[in-house]
Amino acid sequence: MEEEFFMEKAVALAKLASEQDEVPVGAVIVRKNKIIGEGYNQTIRLNDPTAHAEILALRDAALNLNNYRLDSSTMFVTLEPCMMCLGALVHARISKLIFAARDEKTGVIVSNNNALDMNFLNHKVPYSEGPLGKQSSELLKEFFLSKREKPKC
């Protein structure tokens, strides 16, 4: 299944984030069955509050295409996007969003709001909860559990 293949790539990026002590979220952007952009959380490493997986994947895809419009492209991300990332998806004109796990704290696609369904948006992004939700969720749970178990100095 093609959706699972691309979500596996996003999960691999999420694992890379975790290895770098970043919240394990990964994203890939696909056009014509080819990955055109990828990213993983790097807010700490880059000292950049906007360095979420989705934002970095959008930047990578835009540079690769030499165009800030990413129509005809699908984003696969391991965690439901936050409000900032949602805005970037809309502005980039992403054609479809597929996320693996819900984010009960800051997710705005289905968890805390149906923000993509708001009437004022000038671009609609169809979305679905895709494959590997359990795997993505477990990766996040393990990461935060390890943070709580570390002794504080």
Side-chain angles (χ1 to χ4, degrees):
M1 176 186 218
E2 148 182 333
E3 282 187 6
E4 191 166 316
F5 173 82
F6 290 119
M7 195 62 80
E8 284 174 356
K9 299 294 185 188
V11 168
L13 290 166
K15 289 177 180 175
L16 184 58
S18 184
E19 291 167 9
Q20 296 178 12
D21 212 26
E22 298 275 1
V23 175
V25 179
V28 297
I29 299 175
V30 176
R31 181 186 273 183
K32 297 179 183 173
N33 285 325
K34 181 179 179 232
I35 295 175
I36 60 168
E38 58 184 38
Y40 60 91
N41 276 4
Q42 297 183 60
T43 57
I44 297 166
R45 189 175 79 75
L46 297 176
N47 291 312
D48 181 354
T50 70
H52 289 197
E54 299 96 324
I55 301 296
L56 296 177
L58 289 168
R59 289 177 183 162
D60 189 36
L63 286 172
N64 286 331
L65 294 180
N66 198 30
N67 191 339
Y68 72 103
R69 297 284 194 215
L70 301 174
D71 56 336
S72 302
S73 301
T74 300
M75 175 176 281
F76 293 83
V77 62
T78 59
L79 186 64
E80 177 183 3
C82 69
M83 186 64 80
M84 174 185 70
C85 293
L86 164 78
L89 291 169
V90 170
H91 288 296
R93 303 297 194 268
I94 286 287
S95 297
K96 186 173 184 184
L97 167 67
I98 301 172
F99 63 92
R102 290 186 180 198
D103 183 352
E104 301 299 329
K105 287 189 174 188
T106 62
V108 297
I109 309 302
V110 295
S111 293
N112 293 297
N113 197 331
N114 294 77
L116 280 172
D117 298 327
M118 293 185 172
N119 291 330
F120 68 87
L121 294 177
N122 63 341
H123 173 70
K124 299 296 182 186
V125 181
Y127 59 89
S128 64
E129 291 182 59
L132 305 182
K134 184 174 181 181
Q135 185 177 351
S136 297
S137 182
E138 286 300 316
L139 191 59
L140 286 155
K141 286 176 188 172
E142 289 169 14
F143 176 82
F144 287 113
L145 182 61
S146 74
K147 291 288 183 197
R148 286 191 291 276
E149 290 176 350
K150 284 185 181 176
K152 295 183 177 155
C153 299

